[in-house]
Amino acid sequence: MAEDLVTLVGTLEKILYTNPENGFLIASFLIENSIRPVTVKGIVYNTMEHESLRLKGYWENHKIYGRQFSIREFMPVEPSSEEGMVRYLSSEVFKGIGEKTAQRIVKQFGKDTFKIIDGSPKLLSKIKGVGKKQQKTLLDTWDEQRGLRDVMTFLRGVGISHAYAQRIVAKHGMNSIPLIKANPYQLTDISGIGFLTADGIAHNLGFDNNSPHRATAGLLYMLEQQALNGHTCFPRQDLLKKTEEELKIDSAIMESSIQQLLEDHLLNRETIDDAAAVAQELIFRSRFYKAERRVAENIYRILNSEAFTKFEGETSLIEEQERKVGLELDPAQREAVEAALQHKVLIITGGPGTGKTTIVRFMLGLMRPRIPAIALAAPTGRAAKRITETTGAAASTIHRLLEASNMGFQRDRENPLEQELLILDETSMIDTLLMDSLLEAVPSASRLILVGDVDQLPSVGAGTILLDLIESGSIPVVRLNQIFRQAADSYITVNAHKVRRGELPDFGSSSPQTDVDNQLLDFYFIKESDPEKIVKKILLMNSERIPQRFELDPMMDVQVLTPMHRGITGAIHLNRKLQDMLNPDAKGLEHREQWLRIGDKVMQQQNDYEKQVFNGDLGIIVNCDPKTKELHVQFEQDIVHYQANELDQLTLAYAITVHKSQGSEYSAVIMPITSHHYMMLQRNLLYTAITRGKQLVVLIGTEAAIRKAVENEETTRRFTGLLHQLSELGASPLF
């Protein structure tokens, strides 16, 4: 679309609307040599009314507001007409220079005014009525504006895009050039500019691979990469090796950089015994180190304090509630309820069909008359909705409970939660940083019940909170293993537990001919080794077989899960194929090698508290403007508007990774599983995928791949420091 860009030069007459957080504005703009202003909109940082600008963009016709100019790039410029010069010099840009003074200056120098200010500023003293104070104000501001233009020119020259250049100028202003020349890796504090971008700029400026600045930034970057893989820390020697291999930095330089980062408290280290009792030095980014330390401290703070409400006669209370609801708890369930009445903190873990929801419902019924202030929460909106539906009690996301905004969480140690009992579902999904924020806000006298399935995939974010807490022995744990009769009738549940125990699932349902009495089963395995044929079968199942036989909607009820993003059976390729099958001809736009069309199923990829949409939320695109690259997406709660610079938040969701499915349930799940997924074939991944299906699970692939996944439980371990922190604070396990 670059060839369609139009250039306008003129004056920003009046700002009609502005968002100071992202620089978006709507304004009236007077084009040079025109008498009637036009409406412009877009991202423009650090601008004021009456400032002269060069805008690049294109014209569009808004249904309500008519003809508008959509800004894609901007640059401050000097007006060329005498009238424009007067308006510019008397604008808010030049504080203290009124219209009359500006008129005197322009009358004296005419169209050469700016040349005089730039090259012979002493001539300003000859103008009657222009005092020394006004001269200084004018010249200081003039130098600043010229400097900003120089900064923008420099940034574009070293390979920084216009959008990022705007952000840099907004944050660093006139200091941008010396800052970047001294250490371009400081640019990583700008949203959207990561190490790789800064590294490219550094190379353009002649920085060596072994620059100490590069080594420092590279080590921090590599640790961040490990955090994306789930690790809150990483062995020192492995970190050095990976950094040397990937970034080609000399090991001696890195050793020096690590030491400096430790001294500057940007890194922390701990020597911890591994599973084989071999001591190894682990390196932490400080925020993870501090977060794990606070999690451990807060767990003990809550455990060691008196409860708001105490219970006596647990047995009689439970029996009374059983009679009330007409339910007899099994021994493990009874143990869980008794532990919840006796202890400040409790973990309840178990797979599908083992009665976790039943226990939560039972405890709510028992405790609500005695503890009026109870909160039920989950890590995601989908998980919160599910627990609300299954228990009948209102649940919220943890973020909403903590009153999250773009400024952070409003609930913390200084402004704690008010609930006496907090029940958290899907605790395996909670990462270290979120658990840190949550526990900081839990009052010491509150009770905390953590419910989850420790055998599922760990959190998308770094850490293994639930597993570490269980293994620490610091908290009482109740494990639920019995599958109840109704759940036992489900192949999904039975096979999920087989996988959890390291057993192959029952392949007896590998053909529809095995359906008993022509009744549809809920679990099928289709053998196929050819990836291209697997894709064709996924398309057939999604678009025809499942909708026809199970009366399910192919768009909203059927979800394709895959172990990987890339490859023939990866999410990216499957999304293209499914989109072409289910939604081929709708109006849309192209963004980062994918088309987004009206009617597409999409997923939100990050938390946006202003829009009130969160990572993992699914929606349908309901409107699209290809020119402005703006979308409207219908989520369950509302229609959300996305501007062009916000489209990175969305991705197609016909197919998603198993990791992204955590906390969700779908009517039907289809999953490819082949040897091409070798690196991702893990027991907890297969187990998690199977447990996402409510009515139907279809695996398409090879028995060898399934066997590999079932047998592989070794690669799931993450490097974390929470166990160490808990053991440091507690002399010995409490339970």
Side-chain angles (χ1 to χ4, degrees):
M1 188 162 280
E3 64 272 16
D4 299 326
L5 291 180
V6 176
T7 299
L8 304 182
V9 178
T11 306
L12 203 67
E13 291 290 287
K14 186 173 181 61
I15 297 175
L16 307 172
Y17 167 81
T18 184
N19 183 337
E21 290 186 5
N22 60 16
F24 179 82
L25 60 73
I26 302 172
S28 61
F29 186 80
L30 185 64
I31 303 171
E32 280 190 346
N33 303 317
S34 299
I35 59 173
R36 184 173 296 174
V38 298
T39 301
V40 299
K41 66 174 185 178
I43 306 296
V44 182
Y45 287 100
N46 291 345
T47 193
M48 302 180 184
E49 291 182 350
H50 307 304
E51 187 169 359
S52 294
L53 301 172
R54 180 186 294 112
L55 307 178
K56 286 187 178 182
Y58 46 80
W59 292 102
E60 63 179 36
N61 287 304
H62 195 280
K63 292 180 180 179
I64 300 174
Y65 302 110
R67 194 167 187 250
Q68 297 179 331
F69 188 80
S70 183
I71 304 166
R72 286 296 171 263
E73 295 186 10
F74 80 95
M75 180 72 76
V77 297
E78 300 163 4
S80 57
S81 70
E82 292 185 13
E83 182 183 357
M85 291 177 178
V86 171
R87 293 168 67 85
Y88 181 51
L89 292 175
S90 61
S91 71
E92 290 187 20
V93 175
F94 296 88
K95 305 270 188 198
I97 308 296
E99 186 174 358
K100 289 184 178 180
T101 302
Q103 286 173 344
R104 292 193 192 103
I105 295 170
V106 175
K107 185 178 179 181
Q108 176 75 24
F109 301 123
K111 291 187 177 181
D112 293 330
T113 296
F114 290 165
K115 291 181 181 178
I116 297 294
I117 296 173
D118 206 31
S120 305
K122 291 182 179 180
L123 295 177
L124 290 170
S125 61
K126 296 183 178 182
I127 302 174
K128 187 178 179 181
V130 181
K132 289 183 179 181
K133 187 176 180 180
Q134 288 176 307
Q135 291 179 45
K136 187 176 186 308
T137 298
L138 190 152
L139 293 174
D140 287 347
T141 307
W142 183 263
D143 287 342
E144 182 181 346
Q145 293 298 306
R146 181 175 60 184
L148 288 175
R149 289 192 290 274
D150 292 343
V151 169
M152 292 293 287
T153 302
F154 169 81
L155 294 175
R156 300 299 299 275
V158 295
I160 298 174
S161 71
H162 189 86
Y164 286 137
Q166 294 175 45
R167 297 180 190 179
I168 293 168
V169 170
K171 182 165 186 174
H172 298 295
M174 298 294 292
N175 292 323
S176 299
I177 293 177
L179 179 146
I180 293 169
K181 286 184 174 180
N183 181 8
Y185 297 98
Q186 295 180 74
L187 292 177
T188 55
D189 65 355
I190 303 294
S191 176
I193 299 181
F195 170 80
L196 297 179
T197 301
D199 200 37
I201 295 165
H203 282 298
N204 289 340
L205 292 171
F207 277 73
D208 185 79
N209 269 4
N210 286 317
S211 160
H213 293 310
R214 185 172 188 264
T216 297
L219 285 164
L220 294 174
Y221 166 71
M222 293 302 294
L223 276 175
E224 287 300 319
Q225 293 304 108
Q226 297 313 311
L228 294 176
N229 294 328
H231 307 292
T232 63
C233 54
F234 211 63
R236 179 176 183 136
Q237 292 307 312
D238 292 344
L239 174 64
L240 292 172
K241 184 180 178 182
K242 278 183 173 290
T243 309
E244 184 175 10
E245 289 175 352
E246 295 190 24
L247 302 183
K248 312 302 180 188
I249 303 173
D250 184 82
S251 58
I253 301 291
M254 287 191 292
E255 288 283 3
S256 176
S257 294
I258 280 186
Q259 188 57 41
Q260 189 61 55
L261 286 165
L262 289 167
E263 291 175 6
D264 293 340
H265 305 292
L266 294 174
L267 297 180
N268 293 83
R269 62 183 169 193
E270 287 280 1
T271 300
I272 301 173
D273 290 343
D274 62 15
V278 177
Q280 60 179 338
E281 185 179 3
L282 297 176
I283 302 297
F284 299 74
R285 289 295 302 263
S286 287
R287 73 178 186 280
F288 287 115
Y289 182 84
K290 292 174 181 176
E292 289 186 328
R293 184 73 181 178
R294 283 192 297 264
V295 167
E297 290 173 346
N298 282 318
I299 286 291
Y300 281 110
R301 170 178 61 84
I302 299 167
L303 277 169
N304 295 325
S305 61
E306 293 291 322
F308 279 125
T309 303
K310 296 182 180 180
F311 297 94
E312 296 181 358
E314 292 92 348
T315 301
S316 61
L317 288 174
I318 293 170
E319 290 174 350
E320 179 188 339
Q321 186 65 18
E322 285 179 320
R323 290 191 294 272
K324 185 176 178 180
V325 299
L327 171 69
E328 184 177 351
L329 299 175
D330 87 325
Q333 291 176 320
R334 179 178 288 270
E335 180 190 354
V337 178
E338 287 177 350
L341 297 174
Q342 294 169 353
H343 299 289
K344 288 288 302 304
V345 185
L346 172 69
I347 294 173
I348 301 172
T349 184
T354 57
K356 295 193 300 296
T357 301
T358 300
I359 292 173
V360 172
R361 251 194 330 258
F362 190 94
M363 288 190 300
L364 286 170
L366 191 156
M367 291 183 171
R368 188 169 280 126
R370 298 166 175 86
I371 302 179
I374 297 176
L376 191 59
T380 67
R382 293 167 294 158
K385 180 187 177 187
R386 187 156 60 88
I387 195 68
T388 296
E389 292 171 347
T390 54
T391 66
S396 73
T397 64
I398 294 173
H399 291 84
R400 193 177 296 277
L401 181 70
L402 297 178
E403 300 175 16
S405 72
N406 289 338
M407 302 299 293
F409 296 118
Q410 303 308 303
R411 295 287 183 173
D412 52 23
R413 187 73 67 90
E414 302 302 318
N415 182 31
L417 297 169
E418 298 170 0
Q419 288 80 10
E420 295 185 34
L421 171 64
L422 175 59
I423 301 175
L424 294 179
D425 196 30
E426 296 286 0
T427 308
S428 63
M429 295 178 62
I430 303 176
D431 62 42
T432 297
L433 297 181
L434 183 57
M435 181 60 87
D436 173 33
S437 296
L438 176 64
L439 293 180
E440 279 286 286
V442 176
S444 297
S446 292
R447 294 175 182 269
L448 183 62
I449 299 174
L450 308 176
V451 183
D453 186 349
V454 74
D455 295 310
Q456 286 189 28
L457 285 171
S459 57
V460 174
T464 50
I465 288 291
L466 183 59
L467 178 62
D468 287 348
L469 289 175
I470 290 173
E471 292 190 348
S472 74
S474 304
I475 300 170
V477 179
V478 177
R479 298 177 183 269
L480 305 176
N481 294 310
Q482 182 180 338
I483 305 174
F484 290 91
R485 185 183 63 78
Q486 187 175 358
D489 293 336
S490 163
Y491 274 101
I492 294 175
T493 302
V494 170
N495 281 331
H497 283 274
K498 280 179 172 286
V499 170
R500 179 183 64 81
R501 293 191 300 266
E503 303 170 11
L504 287 175
D506 184 354
F507 295 138
S509 56
S510 60
S511 167
Q513 279 70 42
T514 62
D515 296 357
V516 181
D517 299 327
N518 292 319
Q519 294 295 311
L520 293 171
L521 303 177
D522 63 359
F523 188 97
Y524 294 90
F525 171 56
I526 300 172
K527 295 181 182 180
E528 182 57 67
S529 59
D530 187 316
E532 294 286 358
K533 291 181 179 178
I534 289 174
V535 172
K536 289 180 180 179
K537 288 183 177 180
I538 289 173
L539 297 177
L540 181 63
M541 286 286 171
N542 201 142
S543 63
E544 296 182 22
R545 295 285 177 83
I546 292 174
Q548 290 170 4
R549 297 194 72 191
F550 290 85
E551 298 182 351
L552 295 174
D553 183 271
M555 185 75 74
M556 301 311 299
D557 295 332
V558 183
Q559 184 61 59
V560 177
L561 303 181
T562 178
M564 302 179 71
H565 282 287
R566 303 196 176 275
I568 296 175
T569 56
I572 297 172
H573 183 250
L574 286 171
N575 269 315
R576 290 176 184 150
K577 292 293 186 179
L578 287 162
Q579 184 188 48
D580 290 343
M581 173 79 67
L582 299 174
N583 190 34
D585 301 319
K587 177 182 174 184
L589 60 88
E590 189 176 11
H591 179 71
R592 294 192 184 273
E593 300 182 353
Q594 68 176 351
W595 278 92
L596 300 172
R597 298 169 180 158
I598 295 174
D600 277 338
K601 179 162 67 172
V602 292
M603 175 180 282
Q604 177 75 10
Q605 299 194 95
Q606 62 190 61
N607 294 330
D608 190 318
Y609 304 112
E610 186 176 326
K611 289 183 171 56
Q612 286 295 295
V613 287
F614 303 98
N615 190 4
D617 285 353
L618 293 176
I620 299 292
I621 298 175
V622 294
N623 197 16
C624 169
D625 190 329
K627 280 192 173 181
T628 62
K629 287 198 169 185
E630 294 175 356
L631 295 176
H632 290 84
V633 180
Q634 175 69 68
F635 291 98
E636 185 171 320
Q637 67 276 21
D638 208 354
I639 293 177
V640 178
H641 176 222
Y642 292 84
Q643 297 173 20
N645 63 327
E646 298 173 323
L647 295 184
D648 283 347
Q649 297 183 28
L650 296 173
T651 188
L652 291 174
Y654 297 97
I656 62 176
T657 64
V658 179
H659 286 80
K660 281 290 188 180
S661 73
Q662 289 175 263
S664 298
E665 285 186 333
Y666 312 96
S667 297
V669 164
I670 307 171
M671 180 182 172
I673 180 165
T674 76
S675 58
H676 295 83
H677 302 135
Y678 184 83
M679 295 298 294
M680 299 298 294
L681 294 180
Q682 300 169 11
R683 185 185 299 175
N684 59 358
L685 182 136
L686 179 58
Y687 174 75
T688 300
I690 293 172
T691 57
R692 299 309 89 195
K694 292 191 291 186
Q695 296 174 236
L696 176 67
V697 171
V698 180
L699 302 181
I700 307 177
T702 65
E703 288 191 27
I706 293 176
R707 186 180 301 275
K708 167 66 178 175
V710 169
E711 293 174 352
N712 181 18
E713 59 174 344
E714 298 300 322
T715 59
T716 60
R717 194 75 196 190
R718 295 176 170 183
F719 290 106
T720 69
L722 182 56
L723 268 174
H724 175 74
Q725 295 287 4
L726 288 164
S727 67
E728 285 279 293
L729 292 174
S732 60
L734 300 179
F735 302 95

